[in-house]
Amino acid sequence: QVQLLESGGGLVQAGGSLRLSCAASGNILWIKVMGWYRQAPGKQRELVAQIVESRRPNYADFVKGRFTISRDNAKNMVYLQMDSLKPEDTAVYYCSADIWSSRTNLQTYWGQGTQVTVSS
């Protein structure tokens, strides 16, 4: 069974930084995509950043220049370094990964989410 476990959320003042981590575990053969989404109250879930295999990362316009995504393929982990945080970045952040496991074909998995709150 594949699982994604996030950590690193919390409360920070505007202008501060947080680093999110996500570890994928289970019967993993290959991880094609790793990324981060977020969902604020009353809004739809939206893509923040993702890395497809070893290609250049993709970022949403609203985080370009402030957030950095990276992945460690040897550890099956993905990170999101968030700098210059703004109150509008407040949301639940979800790790997502497209994984080929020993039991299933390529499938999208989600973490349980971690709360990020930015105070003004």
Side-chain angles (χ1 to χ4, degrees):
Q1 189 78 340
V2 174
Q3 290 184 325
L4 301 181
L5 182 63
E6 303 116 332
S7 62
L11 173 64
V12 66
Q13 289 187 332
S17 298
L18 284 175
R19 179 178 169 88
L20 305 183
S21 300
C22 173
S25 62
N27 302 314
I28 297 170
L29 298 179
W30 173 48
I31 303 178
K32 180 176 182 178
V33 184
M34 299 194 85
W36 293 92
Y37 287 72
R38 72 185 187 185
Q39 187 167 19
K43 295 187 177 182
Q44 290 187 332
R45 190 173 298 189
E46 59 186 358
L47 175 67
V48 176
Q50 67 178 16
I51 302 179
V52 179
E53 295 176 313
S54 298
R55 302 173 191 170
R56 179 176 294 184
N58 298 319
Y59 294 96
D61 287 343
F62 53 77
V63 302
K64 284 182 178 178
R66 300 189 298 122
F67 292 9
T68 303
I69 188 172
S70 60
R71 62 187 280 183
D72 185 332
N73 293 326
K75 296 180 179 179
N76 291 334
M77 294 194 69
V78 64
Y79 307 94
L80 186 68
Q81 177 66 40
M82 304 185 293
D83 299 318
S84 302
L85 282 160
K86 304 175 182 180
E88 50 264 43
D89 293 320
T90 295
V92 177
Y93 284 70
Y94 296 90
C95 175
S96 174
D98 292 351
I99 297 174
W100 199 302
S101 76
S102 61
R103 298 188 177 185
T104 67
N105 292 331
L106 198 63
Q107 182 172 326
T108 299
Y109 295 86
W110 294 90
Q112 81 286 354
T114 184
Q115 177 70 45
V116 171
T117 303
V118 184
S119 64
S120 58

